[in-house]
Amino acid sequence: MKVTYVGGPTVLLEIAGKRFLTDPTFSPAGVHETTPGRPLTKTEDPGLSADEVGPVDAVLLSHDQHADNLDPAGREYVERALLTLTTPSGARRLGGTAQGLAPWHQLHIGPVAVTAVPAQHGPKGSEEITGEVVGFVLTGKDLPTVYVSGDNASLDVVREISRRLRKLDLAVLFAGAARTSLFDGAPLTLTSEDAAEAAQVLRARNIVPVHTRGWGHFSEGPDEVRKAFAGAGLGDRLHVLEPGESAVIG
């Protein structure tokens, strides 16, 4: 399994000859509006362009509502994509080749089964404000099992997912403790310490943290993640990739 980090929440996963891209963010650094009057500041360019990534078999889009998960160039990429798997409400908004998957629903792409799993984008009860979000689990016969958290801030959600997994070869955890004015600044994604606890709950053999750099509202970066995982005795499982960097895992 090959993992290539593009930047922000964007990762290319290559498994069994199939290519999957999480939350496309290909726009340059700058200010991008999520909704009118709610700008988010992107602080660095992506490590790879959309053309350098090339076509994929499916985009795994946790949600379409926020620019740090789908920026303007990412939207253009989705418009050209063969298939985008996302939330049911997101698929209705995006149209085109977007297909909605409710939690625990599954779709096969060649030998890879893609299962949608729950995600909670903020404190309990946040969905009414932050909107519907989804994570993904990739499985297959004699293939590694991969969990992509999406923008999830809830360890209870992680525990629910863990109960259904027999093994987990790789957890792609959206961390960074994203904070805005919503919910009095409560984290909208996993804190570094929560990410380390999530890795323990999931019994994950390998962890790639993403969503920790590239946007101004990410309050914890790669160094905080490294510190939390070292403190939890999980430093040897952690793979912190630089934008544009690839690693073969599992």
Side-chain angles (χ1 to χ4, degrees):
M1 167 175 50
K2 184 177 180 182
V3 180
T4 301
Y5 182 48
V6 175
T10 311
V11 175
L12 177 65
L13 301 168
E14 297 178 78
I15 304 169
K18 299 297 180 183
R19 308 176 86 236
F20 302 90
L21 186 73
T22 67
D23 292 17
T25 54
F26 290 113
S27 292
V31 177
H32 304 286
E33 276 197 325
T34 284
T35 56
R38 294 195 70 86
L40 294 175
T41 300
K42 191 172 189 179
T43 58
E44 62 184 15
D45 294 340
L48 296 170
S49 69
D51 288 340
E52 288 171 321
V53 169
V56 296
D57 294 281
V59 173
L60 306 178
L61 177 60
S62 70
H63 62 300
D64 67 305
Q65 304 98 302
H66 303 140
D68 60 315
N69 298 88
L70 187 66
D71 62 17
R75 286 185 179 274
E76 294 176 5
Y77 186 90
V78 163
E79 288 173 1
R80 303 190 302 269
L82 179 67
L83 173 66
T84 295
L85 299 178
T86 189
T87 63
S89 60
R92 290 192 293 271
R93 285 187 292 267
L94 292 169
T97 61
Q99 181 171 332
L101 280 181
W104 308 116
H105 287 224
Q106 188 178 85
L107 180 145
H108 282 80
I109 298 175
V112 182
V114 181
T115 303
V117 295
Q120 179 182 302
H121 195 3
K124 190 172 183 179
S126 59
E127 184 172 301
E128 186 174 332
I129 303 296
T130 54
E132 191 178 28
V133 181
V134 70
F136 301 93
V137 172
L138 310 182
T139 56
K141 184 179 180 182
D142 299 324
L143 296 180
T145 297
V146 179
Y147 166 54
V148 178
S149 73
D151 273 8
N152 172 60
S154 170
L155 287 172
D156 286 340
V157 166
V158 171
R159 293 184 186 99
E160 178 186 356
I161 293 165
S162 179
R163 285 193 288 268
R164 300 192 181 216
L165 295 177
R166 288 190 231 173
K167 66 166 187 172
L168 184 59
D169 297 288
L170 171 64
V172 179
L173 297 180
F174 287 35
R179 300 178 194 270
T180 67
S181 59
L182 295 174
F183 314 114
D184 295 323
L188 305 178
T189 54
L190 295 170
T191 67
S192 298
E193 290 187 355
D194 283 349
E197 185 171 346
Q200 291 177 314
V201 168
L202 291 161
R203 304 176 301 281
R205 294 177 55 231
N206 298 280
I207 302 96
V208 171
V210 301
H211 203 273
T212 63
R213 58 181 295 167
W215 291 83
H217 63 294
F218 297 172
S219 67
E220 297 180 9
D223 287 343
E224 286 83 359
V225 173
R226 290 187 183 95
K227 182 179 179 181
F229 274 74
L234 299 172
D236 59 334
R237 304 187 198 182
L238 186 66
H239 306 266
V240 180
L241 302 179
E242 293 292 315
E245 184 181 2
S246 297
V248 176
I249 297 174

Short mmCIF file of all heavy atoms in Angstrom, two decimals, residues 33-39:
data_model
loop_
_atom_site.label_atom_id
_atom_site.label_comp_id
_atom_site.label_asym_id
_atom_site.label_seq_id
_atom_site.Cartn_x
_atom_site.Cartn_y
_atom_site.Cartn_z
N GLU A 33 -13.41 31.25 0.87
CA GLU A 33 -14.65 31.28 1.63
C GLU A 33 -15.28 29.90 1.70
O GLU A 33 -15.43 29.22 0.69
CB GLU A 33 -15.66 32.25 1.00
CG GLU A 33 -15.46 33.68 1.42
CD GLU A 33 -16.67 34.53 1.12
OE1 GLU A 33 -17.33 34.29 0.11
OE2 GLU A 33 -16.96 35.45 1.91
N THR A 34 -15.65 29.50 2.90
CA THR A 34 -16.43 28.29 3.10
C THR A 34 -17.88 28.58 2.74
O THR A 34 -18.50 27.89 1.95
CB THR A 34 -16.32 27.82 4.55
OG1 THR A 34 -15.04 27.21 4.72
CG2 THR A 34 -17.37 26.78 4.89
N THR A 35 -18.41 29.58 3.35
CA THR A 35 -19.72 30.14 3.01
C THR A 35 -19.56 31.65 3.03
O THR A 35 -18.58 32.16 3.61
CB THR A 35 -20.81 29.72 4.01
OG1 THR A 35 -20.39 30.10 5.33
CG2 THR A 35 -21.05 28.22 3.98
N PRO A 36 -20.44 32.40 2.41
CA PRO A 36 -20.29 33.86 2.43
C PRO A 36 -20.11 34.40 3.84
O PRO A 36 -20.88 34.10 4.75
CB PRO A 36 -21.61 34.34 1.80
CG PRO A 36 -22.01 33.23 0.89
CD PRO A 36 -21.60 31.97 1.60
N GLY A 37 -19.02 35.14 4.03
CA GLY A 37 -18.74 35.73 5.33
C GLY A 37 -17.97 34.83 6.28
O GLY A 37 -17.67 35.26 7.40
N ARG A 38 -17.61 33.61 5.87
CA ARG A 38 -16.83 32.71 6.74
C ARG A 38 -15.58 32.25 5.99
O ARG A 38 -15.50 31.10 5.53
CB ARG A 38 -17.67 31.51 7.17
CG ARG A 38 -18.84 31.88 8.08
CD ARG A 38 -19.41 30.67 8.78
NE ARG A 38 -18.49 30.14 9.78
CZ ARG A 38 -18.43 30.58 11.04
NH1 ARG A 38 -19.21 31.55 11.44
NH2 ARG A 38 -17.60 30.05 11.89
N PRO A 39 -14.60 33.14 5.85
CA PRO A 39 -13.38 32.79 5.13
C PRO A 39 -12.45 31.92 5.97
O PRO A 39 -12.41 32.03 7.20
CB PRO A 39 -12.74 34.14 4.83
CG PRO A 39 -13.19 35.01 5.97
CD PRO A 39 -14.58 34.54 6.32
#
